[in-house]
Amino acid sequence: MLTVAVVSTSAVAAVAVWSFSKTVDDNAIDITGGDPAAPVPQLESYENGFNILMVGVDNDATQNAAYGERHGTRNDVNILVHVSADHSNAVVVSIPRDLIVPHPTCMDAESGAEFSAMAARPVNEAMSRGGLLCVVKTVSELTGLTIPYAGLISFDGVVPMSDAVGGVPICLTAAIDDDSAGLHLPAGPSIVAGDTALAFLRSRHGVGDQSDLARISSQQIYMASLMRTVQGNGTLTNIPTLINLANAAASNIQLSTSLADIDTMVSMALALKDIDLDRMLFVQYPGTTGDPNYPGKVVPTEAVAAEMFTKLAAGQPFTLPGTTSTPALTTDAPISMETSTPPPSRETALPTPAPTVEAMNGLTGQTAQDESCAEASTG
């Protein structure tokens, strides 16, 4: 949303973009550790694939007291966005906050405090061990992917972002009354914005089996609907809405210094704008619950995770179990299907079927085109 907003506003609202850029620069966070990302060509589509880590934090310094208190800031939402090198598909990986992972050595850039490596702790402890840089380092070592770009948003920042886009349609299989998240919605369709949108994203006791994995499913339903909304309701051509969206993003999301650059964001938006909704996958990091050694936590399904990230690194697309995807036939010249038409000559290009994209077993999730309803809790 942020990159698309910048692309659309930069051509018609130079003053607004200048203000946006200054705000972004002022709030930027250095995650390079002294090794800056390679420069991006000015106002051209991003040349290769790229990875962005978006982190939602709980209990940051500005968080509203209504969300409760806990000791230390936690990276409770960790979303890795991977765009393929040919810009034909994207995979959005939600990493459960309770996923048990190895943690690398980290250092807090502000205090200078050093933290030793740990073998098996929840991923949401990374933020307290060195800020956004430590979260990026932890996820990068977990996935084997280089992550040069990142962003940070708090609970309070979600509210103006959802308001700026005008609300997001969702639907529920049954009514939800979750007092702990402040969520009260009827069965069927609703449009959520502001505090209600945040409550839907935070609700754990109101959805599915009341686990963190069920909450991730709701978050993916919201993100998929958000993408459909942005593409389908005129958001990309509504200049006032785009300016509001860009300003809300600039004020509420802290970007890495590598990403806090108009040229970089424009180049990424140009790469993203033509990805079909059915080629944008939202998947959960493969994991299971119920391990007696880690009660209440999520243990990685290592073989499935390794296969997925190997495919991402190699640029090999995949789909979810139960589906296969075969791109349309391509040809350089039209071919009539009339029976009286003679066979094409040697000079006529024949349709060439693109390879079938195979489903990868062990994954759960949905595409951006999927309009599934969130499962209300029956407990």
Side-chain angles (χ1 to χ4, degrees), residues 121-151:
R121 296 293 301 169
V123 72
N124 72 342
E125 294 183 8
M127 190 72 192
S128 63
R129 304 179 71 248
L132 183 59
L133 173 58
C134 188
V135 180
V136 170
K137 187 176 181 181
T138 302
V139 174
S140 180
E141 294 195 8
L142 173 69
T143 62
L145 299 177
T146 300
I147 306 174
Y149 306 107

mmCIF file of all heavy atoms in Angstrom, residues 121-151:
data_model
loop_
_atom_site.group_PDB
_atom_site.id
_atom_site.type_symbol
_atom_site.label_atom_id
_atom_site.label_comp_id
_atom_site.label_asym_id
_atom_site.label_seq_id
_atom_site.Cartn_x
_atom_site.Cartn_y
_atom_site.Cartn_z
ATOM 1 N N ARG A 121 14.052 -20.277 21.427
ATOM 2 C CA ARG A 121 13.190 -19.346 22.140
ATOM 3 C C ARG A 121 12.156 -18.797 21.163
ATOM 4 O O ARG A 121 12.361 -18.807 19.943
ATOM 5 C CB ARG A 121 14.003 -18.192 22.735
ATOM 6 C CG ARG A 121 15.010 -18.600 23.807
ATOM 7 C CD ARG A 121 14.326 -19.116 25.057
ATOM 8 N NE ARG A 121 13.426 -18.124 25.647
ATOM 9 C CZ ARG A 121 12.558 -18.396 26.600
ATOM 10 N NH1 ARG A 121 12.448 -19.644 27.071
ATOM 11 N NH2 ARG A 121 11.781 -17.450 27.092
ATOM 12 N N PRO A 122 11.004 -18.290 21.654
ATOM 13 C CA PRO A 122 9.998 -17.721 20.756
ATOM 14 C C PRO A 122 10.572 -16.574 19.930
ATOM 15 O O PRO A 122 11.384 -15.779 20.415
ATOM 16 C CB PRO A 122 8.917 -17.221 21.715
ATOM 17 C CG PRO A 122 9.076 -18.066 22.938
ATOM 18 C CD PRO A 122 10.553 -18.307 23.056
ATOM 19 N N VAL A 123 10.141 -16.488 18.681
ATOM 20 C CA VAL A 123 10.685 -15.484 17.776
ATOM 21 C C VAL A 123 10.373 -14.066 18.250
ATOM 22 O O VAL A 123 11.122 -13.129 17.955
ATOM 23 C CB VAL A 123 10.151 -15.714 16.341
ATOM 24 C CG1 VAL A 123 8.682 -15.330 16.229
ATOM 25 C CG2 VAL A 123 10.976 -14.937 15.311
ATOM 26 N N ASN A 124 9.285 -13.897 19.032
ATOM 27 C CA ASN A 124 8.914 -12.532 19.420
ATOM 28 C C ASN A 124 9.783 -11.955 20.529
ATOM 29 O O ASN A 124 9.537 -10.844 20.999
ATOM 30 C CB ASN A 124 7.433 -12.452 19.804
ATOM 31 C CG ASN A 124 7.102 -13.110 21.121
ATOM 32 O OD1 ASN A 124 7.856 -13.917 21.651
ATOM 33 N ND2 ASN A 124 5.936 -12.775 21.662
ATOM 34 N N GLU A 125 10.820 -12.683 20.936
ATOM 35 C CA GLU A 125 11.775 -12.126 21.890
ATOM 36 C C GLU A 125 12.887 -11.335 21.203
ATOM 37 O O GLU A 125 13.683 -10.663 21.864
ATOM 38 C CB GLU A 125 12.395 -13.243 22.737
ATOM 39 C CG GLU A 125 11.405 -13.937 23.654
ATOM 40 C CD GLU A 125 12.051 -14.993 24.541
ATOM 41 O OE1 GLU A 125 13.297 -15.066 24.545
ATOM 42 O OE2 GLU A 125 11.316 -15.730 25.221
ATOM 43 N N ALA A 126 12.937 -11.403 19.869
ATOM 44 C CA ALA A 126 14.043 -10.766 19.147
ATOM 45 C C ALA A 126 14.051 -9.252 19.314
ATOM 46 O O ALA A 126 15.116 -8.636 19.405
ATOM 47 C CB ALA A 126 13.976 -11.135 17.665
ATOM 48 N N MET A 127 12.885 -8.639 19.342
ATOM 49 C CA MET A 127 12.814 -7.173 19.408
ATOM 50 C C MET A 127 13.487 -6.629 20.665
ATOM 51 O O MET A 127 14.160 -5.597 20.623
ATOM 52 C CB MET A 127 11.350 -6.730 19.365
ATOM 53 C CG MET A 127 11.165 -5.234 19.183
ATOM 54 S SD MET A 127 11.598 -4.703 17.511
ATOM 55 C CE MET A 127 11.637 -2.915 17.760
ATOM 56 N N SER A 128 13.325 -7.339 21.769
ATOM 57 C CA SER A 128 13.903 -6.869 23.033
ATOM 58 C C SER A 128 15.401 -7.121 23.101
ATOM 59 O O SER A 128 16.065 -6.694 24.049
ATOM 60 C CB SER A 128 13.213 -7.561 24.216
ATOM 61 O OG SER A 128 13.435 -8.966 24.173
ATOM 62 N N ARG A 129 15.965 -7.798 22.098
ATOM 63 C CA ARG A 129 17.385 -8.139 22.106
ATOM 64 C C ARG A 129 18.197 -7.278 21.125
ATOM 65 O O ARG A 129 19.328 -7.602 20.819
ATOM 66 C CB ARG A 129 17.575 -9.612 21.743
ATOM 67 C CG ARG A 129 16.817 -10.561 22.644
ATOM 68 C CD ARG A 129 17.004 -12.017 22.244
ATOM 69 N NE ARG A 129 18.352 -12.491 22.549
ATOM 70 C CZ ARG A 129 19.259 -12.816 21.643
ATOM 71 N NH1 ARG A 129 18.986 -12.710 20.346
ATOM 72 N NH2 ARG A 129 20.449 -13.236 22.016
ATOM 73 N N GLY A 130 17.606 -6.208 20.647
ATOM 74 C CA GLY A 130 18.368 -5.368 19.729
ATOM 75 C C GLY A 130 17.535 -4.663 18.687
ATOM 76 O O GLY A 130 18.059 -4.238 17.643
ATOM 77 N N GLY A 131 16.226 -4.541 18.933
ATOM 78 C CA GLY A 131 15.380 -3.757 18.044
ATOM 79 C C GLY A 131 15.137 -4.420 16.689
ATOM 80 O O GLY A 131 15.303 -5.626 16.515
ATOM 81 N N LEU A 132 14.747 -3.602 15.732
ATOM 82 C CA LEU A 132 14.385 -4.103 14.408
ATOM 83 C C LEU A 132 15.545 -4.832 13.740
ATOM 84 O O LEU A 132 15.344 -5.836 13.042
ATOM 85 C CB LEU A 132 13.907 -2.944 13.526
ATOM 86 C CG LEU A 132 13.419 -3.312 12.122
ATOM 87 C CD1 LEU A 132 12.249 -4.281 12.178
ATOM 88 C CD2 LEU A 132 13.046 -2.052 11.341
ATOM 89 N N LEU A 133 16.763 -4.352 13.921
ATOM 90 C CA LEU A 133 17.928 -5.005 13.331
ATOM 91 C C LEU A 133 18.036 -6.455 13.799
ATOM 92 O O LEU A 133 18.322 -7.356 13.003
ATOM 93 C CB LEU A 133 19.205 -4.240 13.675
ATOM 94 C CG LEU A 133 20.529 -4.895 13.255
ATOM 95 C CD1 LEU A 133 20.558 -5.135 11.750
ATOM 96 C CD2 LEU A 133 21.710 -4.020 13.680
ATOM 97 N N CYS A 134 17.774 -6.706 15.086
ATOM 98 C CA CYS A 134 17.871 -8.069 15.613
ATOM 99 C C CYS A 134 16.738 -8.941 15.070
ATOM 100 O O CYS A 134 16.938 -10.124 14.787
ATOM 101 C CB CYS A 134 17.837 -8.048 17.133
ATOM 102 S SG CYS A 134 18.173 -9.660 17.882
ATOM 103 N N VAL A 135 15.547 -8.362 14.894
ATOM 104 C CA VAL A 135 14.437 -9.124 14.320
ATOM 105 C C VAL A 135 14.782 -9.547 12.894
ATOM 106 O O VAL A 135 14.589 -10.700 12.497
ATOM 107 C CB VAL A 135 13.127 -8.313 14.337
ATOM 108 C CG1 VAL A 135 11.985 -9.146 13.736
ATOM 109 C CG2 VAL A 135 12.764 -7.886 15.752
ATOM 110 N N VAL A 136 15.310 -8.608 12.115
ATOM 111 C CA VAL A 136 15.697 -8.905 10.732
ATOM 112 C C VAL A 136 16.764 -9.995 10.700
ATOM 113 O O VAL A 136 16.687 -10.942 9.901
ATOM 114 C CB VAL A 136 16.200 -7.633 10.020
ATOM 115 C CG1 VAL A 136 16.829 -7.982 8.676
ATOM 116 C CG2 VAL A 136 15.050 -6.651 9.829
ATOM 117 N N LYS A 137 17.751 -9.871 11.572
ATOM 118 C CA LYS A 137 18.834 -10.851 11.601
ATOM 119 C C LYS A 137 18.305 -12.236 11.980
ATOM 120 O O LYS A 137 18.703 -13.258 11.395
ATOM 121 C CB LYS A 137 19.909 -10.398 12.594
ATOM 122 C CG LYS A 137 21.164 -11.260 12.595
ATOM 123 C CD LYS A 137 22.211 -10.676 13.547
ATOM 124 C CE LYS A 137 23.484 -11.520 13.544
ATOM 125 N NZ LYS A 137 24.501 -10.988 14.486
ATOM 126 N N THR A 138 17.392 -12.282 12.945
ATOM 127 C CA THR A 138 16.828 -13.553 13.396
ATOM 128 C C THR A 138 16.035 -14.234 12.283
ATOM 129 O O THR A 138 16.196 -15.430 12.016
ATOM 130 C CB THR A 138 15.914 -13.328 14.612
ATOM 131 O OG1 THR A 138 16.667 -12.708 15.665
ATOM 132 C CG2 THR A 138 15.341 -14.639 15.124
ATOM 133 N N VAL A 139 15.172 -13.463 11.598
ATOM 134 C CA VAL A 139 14.342 -14.024 10.524
ATOM 135 C C VAL A 139 15.205 -14.388 9.317
ATOM 136 O O VAL A 139 14.964 -15.398 8.652
ATOM 137 C CB VAL A 139 13.225 -13.047 10.138
ATOM 138 C CG1 VAL A 139 12.443 -13.557 8.927
ATOM 139 C CG2 VAL A 139 12.283 -12.820 11.316
ATOM 140 N N SER A 140 16.215 -13.605 9.042
ATOM 141 C CA SER A 140 17.100 -13.900 7.913
ATOM 142 C C SER A 140 17.829 -15.226 8.123
ATOM 143 O O SER A 140 17.905 -16.058 7.205
ATOM 144 C CB SER A 140 18.110 -12.763 7.727
ATOM 145 O OG SER A 140 18.973 -13.037 6.640
ATOM 146 N N GLU A 141 18.345 -15.443 9.332
ATOM 147 C CA GLU A 141 19.045 -16.699 9.601
ATOM 148 C C GLU A 141 18.079 -17.882 9.662
ATOM 149 O O GLU A 141 18.425 -19.004 9.288
ATOM 150 C CB GLU A 141 19.840 -16.576 10.904
ATOM 151 C CG GLU A 141 20.983 -15.563 10.798
ATOM 152 C CD GLU A 141 21.984 -15.684 11.930
ATOM 153 O OE1 GLU A 141 21.877 -16.651 12.726
ATOM 154 O OE2 GLU A 141 22.877 -14.812 12.022
ATOM 155 N N LEU A 142 16.845 -17.625 10.097
ATOM 156 C CA LEU A 142 15.833 -18.682 10.143
ATOM 157 C C LEU A 142 15.445 -19.147 8.745
ATOM 158 O O LEU A 142 15.291 -20.341 8.493
ATOM 159 C CB LEU A 142 14.595 -18.171 10.883
ATOM 160 C CG LEU A 142 13.370 -19.089 10.884
ATOM 161 C CD1 LEU A 142 13.628 -20.335 11.723
ATOM 162 C CD2 LEU A 142 12.136 -18.334 11.394
ATOM 163 N N THR A 143 15.292 -18.191 7.820
ATOM 164 C CA THR A 143 14.787 -18.502 6.478
ATOM 165 C C THR A 143 15.884 -18.735 5.454
ATOM 166 O O THR A 143 15.627 -19.321 4.397
ATOM 167 C CB THR A 143 13.901 -17.363 5.969
ATOM 168 O OG1 THR A 143 14.689 -16.150 5.867
ATOM 169 C CG2 THR A 143 12.732 -17.114 6.918
ATOM 170 N N GLY A 144 17.088 -18.264 5.742
ATOM 171 C CA GLY A 144 18.167 -18.360 4.767
ATOM 172 C C GLY A 144 18.089 -17.316 3.680
ATOM 173 O O GLY A 144 18.845 -17.370 2.703
ATOM 174 N N LEU A 145 17.197 -16.339 3.821
ATOM 175 C CA LEU A 145 17.023 -15.293 2.816
ATOM 176 C C LEU A 145 17.662 -13.988 3.272
ATOM 177 O O LEU A 145 17.643 -13.649 4.456
ATOM 178 C CB LEU A 145 15.531 -15.042 2.548
ATOM 179 C CG LEU A 145 14.719 -16.229 2.012
ATOM 180 C CD1 LEU A 145 13.255 -15.822 1.881
ATOM 181 C CD2 LEU A 145 15.266 -16.707 0.683
ATOM 182 N N THR A 146 18.229 -13.262 2.327
ATOM 183 C CA THR A 146 18.734 -11.926 2.623
ATOM 184 C C THR A 146 17.553 -10.969 2.706
ATOM 185 O O THR A 146 16.687 -10.956 1.828
ATOM 186 C CB THR A 146 19.696 -11.461 1.514
ATOM 187 O OG1 THR A 146 20.796 -12.376 1.442
ATOM 188 C CG2 THR A 146 20.210 -10.058 1.796
ATOM 189 N N ILE A 147 17.507 -10.164 3.764
ATOM 190 C CA ILE A 147 16.389 -9.242 3.977
ATOM 191 C C ILE A 147 16.946 -7.825 4.118
ATOM 192 O O ILE A 147 17.277 -7.378 5.220
ATOM 193 C CB ILE A 147 15.579 -9.621 5.224
ATOM 194 C CG1 ILE A 147 15.124 -11.085 5.137
ATOM 195 C CG2 ILE A 147 14.368 -8.703 5.391
ATOM 196 C CD1 ILE A 147 14.442 -11.590 6.387
ATOM 197 N N PRO A 148 17.054 -7.091 3.006
ATOM 198 C CA PRO A 148 17.638 -5.751 3.075
ATOM 199 C C PRO A 148 16.652 -4.651 3.458
ATOM 200 O O PRO A 148 17.068 -3.532 3.740
ATOM 201 C CB PRO A 148 18.148 -5.533 1.646
ATOM 202 C CG PRO A 148 17.239 -6.358 0.799
ATOM 203 C CD PRO A 148 16.826 -7.538 1.631
ATOM 204 N N TYR A 149 15.347 -4.969 3.484
ATOM 205 C CA TYR A 149 14.337 -3.935 3.726
ATOM 206 C C TYR A 149 13.399 -4.368 4.848
ATOM 207 O O TYR A 149 13.051 -5.543 4.972
ATOM 208 C CB TYR A 149 13.513 -3.674 2.457
ATOM 209 C CG TYR A 149 14.353 -3.351 1.253
ATOM 210 C CD1 TYR A 149 14.504 -4.280 0.230
ATOM 211 C CD2 TYR A 149 15.010 -2.127 1.144
ATOM 212 C CE1 TYR A 149 15.287 -3.993 -0.882
ATOM 213 C CE2 TYR A 149 15.795 -1.837 0.043
ATOM 214 C CZ TYR A 149 15.935 -2.767 -0.970
ATOM 215 O OH TYR A 149 16.710 -2.478 -2.052
ATOM 216 N N ALA A 150 12.964 -3.388 5.666
ATOM 217 C CA ALA A 150 12.085 -3.719 6.786
ATOM 218 C C ALA A 150 11.268 -2.499 7.184
ATOM 219 O O ALA A 150 11.594 -1.357 6.845
ATOM 220 C CB ALA A 150 12.902 -4.223 7.977
ATOM 221 N N GLY A 151 10.188 -2.765 7.913
ATOM 222 C CA GLY A 151 9.348 -1.703 8.446
ATOM 223 C C GLY A 151 8.794 -2.111 9.793
ATOM 224 O O GLY A 151 8.663 -3.301 10.104
#
